[in-house]
Amino acid sequence: MRDQHEPRDEFVERLQSTISHEVRRRNSLTESRGWTPRWQMKAAAGMAALVIVSMAIGGAVVALAYQVQDNERRDSLSAVYLRQFQLAQQRLQLAQAEVQTAEQRRVTGLGTEEAILESRQKVAEAEVAVKVAQLQLEEVRLTAREPLNDVSSPLASGRDFVTERWRIERTVPLLALELERTRLRVAAQRFQLGTADSLEVAAVEVRVSDIEAGILAFSQKIDIRQRFLKGEFDAAMAGLRVQEVMAEQRRKALLPKVEFAQKGIQQAQAKFATGMATTIEVNEAKLRLLQLQTELAMTDLELALVRRKIDQLKGK
Amino acid sequence: MPRQLSEDEIVQTYRQTIRPLYVYVLRRVGGDVSLAEDLVQETWMRALDAWPGKGVPNEPLAWLVRVARNVLVSHFRRTQPQLVDPSTLDLEAAAPVADAPDMAGVVSWALARVRRKHADILEAFYFDGKSIAEIARDRSLSERAVEGRLHRARAVLKKKLSRIVIGVTEHARPTRTP
């Protein structure tokens, strides 16, 4: 039986994994900084001199200085994030005013239903931005450091800010999906009436698939985060799983785009045959398809590499 | 200038220090496992902030314990404990308060608000469970001097506690030598 004063094994393992991940992340940041300009080195030397002088003042001040430094960092970071929060609130007010204008224009027959939906979408996005900024501010005030958004970020005083933020951010594509589905219905009706062609409908279908893939990826990321917190995944595995999800998302979004680009070539060739399009337009359509196919091949390669790394990690 | 940390060295240091560090924090939060884990994690995040600049200290455990203490002080300065029943709060008792969550929480809350010199001696007595003789030996003082300091520190602690424990001064017994 475990001694009640001993830390839980899963806690020890999880924290070790978090620390290892953090060390690797910080080391990679240090590496990427590379060459330091001369003036920065001078500034660093000046700073070092200042630190030495400060240290000479006496060891007794160290503990107090630590506390003060911590509070100063917290205050300056909080000020930055408070400003971001206030800006987000101002943007929300502007977006709300835009909805009112769009609704008034609709009543007077000048605006469209789609314009109202778009302005409501902007309000929803602004609301999400306010909530995210508020969470960031809370995290900074609680931890005195920049908010962390990695799948393996540690909890902050028991709070999982990462999942909270992701859940809020997920509402943006959910609302966008609603808007695109409305557009799809309208496009389908127009197609039946003969006022729109099949390519117009296909374009909206591509956007719907794109958003659906994004929503699924968000849900999967949240699931990976939960499994990391439960100790089912270590930091390295959680990071790889998220890479896999993101590559899958890109793949799912690219497939309908490739199909759409193929239809675009067919339509351009048909138009060319009747003299309504030039060879430039046909070649542009072909180039678009080629670009998308290259992107798809790169995504497939990335997915294969990530999966191989996952298998290697499982095998350890 | 930030330098590269050796992952192996950090993990080895972590493995060597995690248990004593955890016990140190757990005692001061009265056995609240979830809070202890959060605070230990916070301590390690601060180590990762500081060590790339200064390097891993020669005595990492001492460094971590000192920072953990600051983290505890910050935590208890932000929190307000529940009012406690004065009959359960015995500041004269010799037994450490580590396994009494309410008591430990209250004492930690008050310790975050007293001077370092008082806090040090009270921590040694309440959380580390040291006797007067041991504290005297650690600090190269006479036992009588330690008793005097402990008495004065207790008086300060009681004053702080009187904000949250109604009538604590009336309930406290006269000082005795543990």
Side-chain angles (χ1 to χ4, degrees), chain A residues 92-103 115 118-119 122-123:
Chain A
L92 175 60
Q93 283 167 2
L94 285 173
Q96 283 166 337
E98 223 172 280
V99 171
Q100 282 179 347
T101 310
E103 281 171 349
E118 268 181 21
S119 58
K122 281 182 191 167
V123 169

Side-chain angles (χ1 to χ4, degrees), chain A residues 14-273:
Chain A
R14 182 162 54 82
L15 184 54
Q16 182 179 323
S17 163
T18 305
I19 288 168
S20 295
H21 177 71
E22 269 298 297
V23 170
R24 283 197 296 276
R25 191 179 69 82
R26 283 160 198 250
N27 283 346
S28 67
L29 281 176
T30 314
E31 268 171 19
S32 64
R33 276 180 197 143
W35 179 77
T36 314
R38 188 172 289 274
W39 67 269
Q40 276 189 10
M41 287 177 77
K42 275 188 181 173
M47 186 62 78
L50 191 64
V51 168
I52 291 164
V53 170
S54 304
M55 283 172 75
I57 292 170
V61 189
V62 171
L64 181 64
Y66 217 96
Q67 188 68 40
V68 170
Q69 191 188 25
D70 196 33
N71 289 340
E72 277 175 2
R73 188 170 54 168
R74 188 191 307 274
D75 290 346
S76 58
L77 272 175
S78 294
V80 171
Y81 281 90
L82 179 63
R83 186 76 196 117
Q84 282 187 8
F85 175 61
Q86 288 164 342
L87 280 172
Q89 281 180 318
Q90 285 170 7
R91 283 195 201 103
L92 175 60
Q93 283 167 2
L94 285 173
Q96 283 166 337
E98 223 172 280
V99 171
Q100 282 179 347
T101 310
E103 281 171 349
Q104 279 165 3
R105 284 172 65 85
R106 179 81 180 108
V107 169
T108 54
L110 291 168
T112 60
E113 189 63 32
E114 194 172 325
I116 294 175
L117 284 172
E118 268 181 21
S119 58
R120 283 186 187 150
Q121 170 73 14
K122 281 182 191 167
V123 169
E125 284 172 14
E127 279 172 347
V128 166
V130 169
K131 285 178 190 166
V132 168
Q134 190 177 4
L135 276 176
Q136 286 178 325
L137 182 60
E138 283 175 31
E139 188 174 351
V140 165
R141 282 179 175 160
L142 206 61
T143 61
R145 57 155 168 73
E146 290 276 357
L148 299 175
N149 213 30
D150 282 349
V151 68
S152 54
S153 299
L155 295 179
S157 297
R159 268 186 82 175
D160 180 8
F161 282 100
V162 176
T163 305
E164 283 184 50
R165 268 196 293 274
W166 286 354
R167 284 200 172 125
I168 290 169
E169 284 167 352
R170 190 174 54 176
T171 57
V172 172
L174 281 170
L175 289 161
L177 183 64
E178 204 179 311
L179 179 65
E180 289 304 330
R181 279 181 178 160
T182 307
R183 280 181 179 149
L184 187 60
R185 273 198 301 276
V186 172
Q189 281 167 1
R190 287 180 59 206
F191 176 68
Q192 280 175 349
L193 292 170
T195 54
D197 60 22
S198 61
L199 215 56
E200 223 172 290
V201 179
V204 187
E205 281 172 345
V206 166
R207 286 203 294 276
V208 168
S209 305
D210 200 352
I211 296 168
E212 280 173 344
I215 293 168
L216 182 66
F218 254 122
S219 304
Q220 287 174 323
K221 271 170 68 178
I222 291 169
D223 180 52
I224 293 166
R225 169 79 177 155
Q226 297 311 308
R227 293 179 74 177
F228 167 75
L229 292 176
K230 283 179 194 163
E232 289 175 34
F233 290 153
D234 62 12
M237 180 60 92
L240 284 171
R241 290 284 185 191
V242 168
Q243 281 181 33
E244 184 187 24
V245 163
M246 300 315 286
E248 273 175 350
Q249 182 205 345
R250 279 199 300 280
R251 193 173 190 283
K252 277 180 192 152
L254 277 168
L255 286 171
K257 282 180 189 168
V258 169
E259 205 177 314
F260 180 68
Q262 281 165 341
K263 281 183 189 167
I265 293 175
Q266 284 167 6
Q267 196 186 51
Q269 282 171 336
K271 279 184 178 176
F272 177 73

Side-chain angles (χ1 to χ4, degrees), chain B:
Chain B
M1 192 177 150
R3 59 185 145 192
Q4 296 258 326
L5 287 169
S6 152
E7 191 181 337
D8 288 345
E9 187 187 5
I10 295 290
V11 168
Q12 199 185 353
T13 307
Y14 169 78
R15 283 277 170 193
Q16 285 165 353
T17 57
I18 183 63
R19 280 172 176 77
L21 177 67
Y22 179 84
V23 170
Y24 173 88
V25 174
L26 188 71
R27 279 183 180 165
R28 280 152 181 82
V29 296
D32 183 338
V33 172
S34 169
L35 180 57
E37 289 180 354
D38 276 355
L39 298 180
V40 166
Q41 182 167 292
E42 176 68 26
T43 303
W44 261 98
M45 288 303 122
R46 290 193 188 196
L48 295 184
D49 280 341
W51 291 357
K54 299 170 186 169
V56 178
N58 292 333
E59 296 286 345
L61 181 59
W63 191 97
L64 288 164
V65 163
R66 194 170 71 239
V67 172
R69 191 185 178 281
N70 290 335
V71 170
L72 279 156
V73 167
S74 295
H75 170 78
F76 282 109
R77 279 188 183 159
R78 285 199 303 268
T79 58
Q80 180 72 31
Q82 298 286 316
L83 288 176
V84 293
D85 177 1
S87 63
T88 63
L89 194 63
D90 185 1
L91 291 181
E92 316 302 331
V97 295
D99 293 323
D102 290 345
M103 176 80 165
V106 166
V107 173
S108 291
W109 177 87
L111 282 178
R113 287 161 176 76
V114 302
R115 285 186 184 177
R116 184 70 187 256
K117 64 173 183 178
H118 294 316
D120 277 349
I121 200 158
L122 290 167
E123 275 190 42
F125 183 70
Y126 286 111
F127 292 122
D128 298 333
K130 288 185 177 173
S131 67
I132 296 281
E134 285 170 320
I135 297 172
R137 198 170 52 242
D138 291 348
R139 287 168 170 70
S140 304
L141 292 168
S142 68
E143 289 188 20
R144 195 173 170 75
V146 171
E147 278 172 14
R149 287 183 188 197
L150 194 56
H151 176 73
R152 285 191 291 278
R154 273 200 193 110
V156 174
L157 189 69
K158 278 179 193 170
K159 204 172 167 185
K160 295 286 174 193
L161 287 171
S162 63
R163 291 188 203 164
I164 54 163
V165 184
I166 303 155
V168 66
T169 45
E170 289 78 20
H171 280 80
R173 295 192 304 270
T175 311
R176 63 173 174 75
T177 307

